[in-house]
Amino acid sequence: MVKEEEQNGSEKGVSRREFLTQAGWALGSAALGAGWTPSADERALQAAPEFESKYACPVDAQKFATFEELQAHFATAHPHVAAPVTTLRVNERDYPVQIEPQWTLQQTLQFKLGLTGAKTMCDRGECGSCTVIIDGKPALSCTTLAVECEGKSIETIEGIAANSRWNPLIQAYMKHDAMQCGYCTPGFIVTAKALLDKNPNPTEEDVRQALAGNLCRCSTYPRHAKAILEAAQGLRDGK
Amino acid sequence: MRRFDHLNATSIQEATSALKNKSAVFIAGGTDLIGRLKDEILPGYPELIVNLKTIQGLDYVHEEGGLLKIGAGTRLADIAADPIVRLRYTALGQAAGRAASPHIRRMGTLGGNISQLHRCWYFRAPQNRFECLRKGGKTCFALAGDNRYHSIFGAVNGCIAVHPSDTAPSLVALDARIKTTKRTIIAEDFWDVRVASCTVLDTDEIVTEVQIPAPDVGARSAFVKFALRKSIDFPIVNAAVFVGGGAARICLNAVAPKPYRATKAEQVIAGKSIDSRNTGAAGAAAAADSRPLEANRYKVQIAKVLVERALLECASAA
Ligand code: FES
Ligand code: FES
């Protein structure tokens, strides 16, 4: 795990951790290591754990300390096996990662990068809970092959939560209690962020249209529009 | 998903020749294919997936030489938002804007939308639980089973699953041509019912372009859809209508194994004014040949009404 540097300085708005606790989210406890102290928003992302399996050889399961060692092992031990080793650019950070061609982006984010925010609910492209932003457009990570994401810029809920600019959106979700179990919520917020990037001043109809690909089993629908419209106002005012 | 190899094709030639040695399938938006692979609904599992998204120059919408040309890799969302499509090829713009959900419309392509496999809960049941005709089996389970969403116009090759595409009926109504790597096919002849396929395409044939003749001044088209949910849903029935030069082209989908051209309805409305009396007769004619199954009689009424509504929408837009 990347070490947290000591941060002095006061925090503006809600940190990722406070957000998670206050909102009662289960973004996945793995994302929050034990003894993790909240620090600058940007630091929150660094807390994504690097799974042990990250550098395990998919063919013979040998483990390696670094990515380079795995690559070297692959080249000598399994020259005939295609091993997609690639760099995924997630939340403006480059992750070297070894992926299997049949892995979805969602699986890769969750099990290789430890980014547990994009969740599978249906795993069939029907519910939107796995939404991430790929090159500026919301996309379903459960229905996207990770190997096809090389060279693309991926944004996940973790990146949005870690960026203080988007505090108004998260605050508004908390204020309007726009979630119950919270399982679908990352998908909604990521979709909302993509909408507000493109259209900072949406109407309620725009919001409803943008969210039409996200399902919520707890039926929190009316609250999303309220929260997002208020967030749009807050973002425009630069709050 | 089980393992497969993956190739980012950089040209059509590379994509088609990749199919020579291995059992391979193409992936564009992937919104139908990936679910299919996860559920392993087909008897054979591909060794290789060939990505068509990495081929340059399959993503465009423009008018040229009296035709609207749309690259097969164009996303549904881009088609739905295109001002020329919305204005002159309205039925296609409306269909592309009503398919699936906003996320899927941003991922799914036009070529994929027309090539997607049938929807039938026996055919689509995970792990090949029902070895039906479409998998090389001997039985259509929907005939004796729950067929509430199935064909009201009988079977094709023994199968009564419906073709669920929203853009397909619009392409038929607009008299489109589907250009592939081997030939150009009239939209109406594009679909078929085969084991593991719903088009007439060979396994190494790729749709490259959809062409629609530019409509005359004053021509109108419209698409309407009935689904249980407003978004993220397949049609129970959908209908596309083109009206121009005193004639009409009417096509329904999700009512038969292939998009269903309602020629009787076209004859009824031809040369007549489009008002509620004539459209009612056209709607009735559209369903004249229907043979509903035990559980899907309700779809007949929906089909009639959708044809009426699509016609009236053309009239009110005029
Ligand atoms: S989990 Fe991806 S759409 Fe439901
Ligand atoms: S809050 Fe539970 S699924 Fe949406």
Side-chain angles (χ1 to χ4, degrees):
Chain A
M1 185 181 294
V2 180
K3 285 269 177 324
E4 286 298 320
E5 277 169 36
E6 282 301 312
Q7 289 284 317
N8 302 321
S10 66
E11 295 239 25
K12 194 171 151 252
V14 186
S15 78
R16 176 164 175 260
R17 177 172 219 186
E18 282 160 355
F19 170 51
L20 296 176
T21 12
Q22 287 172 22
W25 267 28
L27 249 172
S29 53
L32 305 169
W36 191 81
T37 35
S39 64
D41 293 331
E42 287 72 22
R43 295 283 155 194
L45 259 189
Q46 307 284 325
E50 299 193 347
F51 278 41
E52 206 194 352
S53 67
K54 186 168 175 185
Y55 303 125
C57 170
V59 180
D60 58 21
Q62 261 193 69
K63 301 234 167 83
F64 296 92
T66 67
F67 185 65
E68 289 71 26
E69 281 174 44
L70 171 67
Q71 269 180 313
H73 160 81
F74 229 94
T76 48
H78 317 290
H80 303 299
V81 182
V85 279
T86 186
T87 302
L88 288 183
R89 187 156 181 80
V90 185
N91 300 321
E92 297 182 2
R93 177 179 157 191
D94 285 322
Y95 291 83
V97 62
Q98 172 261 315
I99 39 184
E100 296 281 301
Q102 74 275 22
W103 285 352
T104 64
L105 178 60
Q106 194 282 330
Q107 279 174 303
T108 309
L109 292 172
Q110 179 171 353
F111 296 109
K112 284 288 163 176
L113 307 186
L115 297 172
T116 54
K119 306 191 185 331
T120 50
M121 186 140 77
C122 68
D123 204 19
R124 291 295 180 279
E126 289 158 12
C127 73
S129 84
C130 63
T131 307
V132 298
I133 300 175
I134 303 179
D135 285 346
K137 292 178 184 169
L140 303 172
S141 60
C142 76
T143 303
T144 301
L145 294 176
V147 280
E148 294 180 359
C149 295
E150 197 176 350
K152 303 207 163 139
S153 165
I154 299 160
E155 283 173 81
T156 70
I157 184 70
E158 285 89 348
I160 297 167
N163 183 343
S164 51
R165 174 176 146 67
W166 293 97
N167 270 337
L169 180 57
I170 286 165
Q171 298 270 21
Y173 260 75
M174 284 156 54
K175 180 176 156 201
H176 290 280
D177 199 9
M179 68 201 76
Q180 285 194 44
C181 76
Y183 203 81
C184 68
T185 319
F188 274 95
I189 295 190
V190 170
T191 309
K193 190 259 178 190
L195 167 73
L196 295 175
D197 269 342
K198 251 189 22 202
N199 178 0
N201 193 6
T203 62
E204 183 172 346
E205 186 53 27
D206 295 336
V207 173
R208 285 171 175 269
Q209 285 297 336
L211 296 181
N214 292 78
L215 286 184
C216 171
R217 289 178 291 184
C218 303
S219 262
T220 54
Y221 298 111
R223 298 177 179 211
H224 290 279
K226 275 194 206 126
I228 293 166
L229 289 171
E230 188 176 301
Q233 181 71 47
L235 285 159
R236 288 198 302 273
D237 299 350
K239 264 192 224 147
Chain B
M1 278 180 281
R2 278 195 282 140
R3 184 174 169 106
F4 46 72
D5 287 333
H6 183 276
L7 172 78
N8 284 326
T10 49
S11 69
I12 299 270
Q13 288 86 330
E14 189 186 357
T16 46
S17 66
L19 262 72
K20 297 259 144 66
N21 303 321
K22 288 180 167 184
S23 76
V25 292
F26 300 118
I27 184 169
T31 54
D32 188 30
L33 180 73
I34 290 183
R36 231 149 77 194
L37 294 176
K38 283 180 181 168
D39 287 334
E40 297 191 18
I41 59 166
L42 296 179
Y45 193 84
E47 286 170 64
L48 174 70
I49 304 276
V50 181
N51 183 13
L52 304 178
K53 289 190 290 296
T54 41
I55 302 176
Q56 298 293 311
L58 286 177
D59 178 358
Y60 53 87
V61 181
H62 57 76
E63 281 185 308
E64 184 190 316
L67 292 174
L68 175 76
K69 297 184 172 177
I70 305 178
T74 311
R75 302 296 201 280
L76 295 182
D78 295 333
I79 296 172
D82 190 280
I84 296 175
V85 175
R86 289 165 63 138
L87 184 69
R88 310 225 305 151
Y89 308 87
T90 318
L92 179 61
Q94 289 171 330
R98 273 303 309 275
S101 72
H103 296 344
I104 293 177
R105 293 196 290 272
R106 270 187 301 265
M107 298 168 71
T109 62
L110 182 60
N113 189 265
I114 59 176
S115 308
Q116 65 182 308
L117 274 184
H118 286 87
R119 288 275 151 188
C120 161
W121 41 29
Y122 298 100
F123 174 58
R124 293 261 177 183
Q127 267 82 42
N128 272 324
R129 230 173 293 156
F130 299 94
E131 216 215 334
C132 76
L133 289 171
R134 302 297 300 285
K135 307 175 183 194
K138 295 208 164 52
T139 325
C140 169
F141 294 89
L143 265 183
D146 190 337
N147 47 37
R148 74 182 84 164
Y149 299 134
H150 290 74
S151 170
I152 53 172
F153 288 102
V156 175
N157 298 342
C159 174
I160 55 167
V162 294
H163 195 266
S165 167
D166 282 319
T167 57
S170 294
L171 294 184
V172 173
L174 293 167
D175 199 14
R177 303 282 182 275
I178 319 277
K179 205 172 145 215
T180 76
T181 44
K182 299 189 174 173
R183 52 191 156 157
T184 300
I185 308 168
I186 295 172
E188 250 183 293
D189 300 335
F190 179 74
W191 291 277
D192 198 358
V193 180
R194 304 177 179 180
V195 173
S197 164
C198 69
T199 67
V200 295
L201 300 185
D202 300 333
T203 44
D204 63 342
E205 190 172 6
I206 307 173
V207 176
T208 54
E209 187 176 88
V210 170
Q211 305 175 334
I212 305 176
D216 295 338
V217 184
R220 297 274 181 267
S221 68
F223 168 88
V224 289
K225 168 172 174 176
F226 181 89
L228 295 185
R229 294 188 305 217
K230 269 198 201 155
S231 179
I232 336 183
D233 210 355
F234 288 101
I236 298 287
V237 180
N238 62 23
V241 162
F242 171 87
V243 184
R249 289 174 63 93
I250 302 174
C251 186
L252 292 152
N253 206 10
V255 293
K258 299 187 208 177
Y260 179 82
R261 176 116 182 251
T263 35
K264 286 198 178 153
E266 293 175 3
Q267 286 155 11
V268 166
I269 202 74
K272 301 222 180 77
S273 71
I274 298 178
D275 54 42
S276 53
R277 193 165 38 94
N278 293 333
T279 56
D289 294 333
S290 64
R291 283 170 283 143
L293 303 154
E294 200 179 5
N296 68 10
R297 197 162 292 277
Y298 71 99
K299 285 177 75 167
V300 176
Q301 181 63 19
I302 296 173
K304 285 184 193 167
V305 173
L306 289 196
V307 167
E308 268 189 78
R309 284 191 191 162
L311 280 166
L312 288 170
E313 209 177 302
C314 291
S316 66

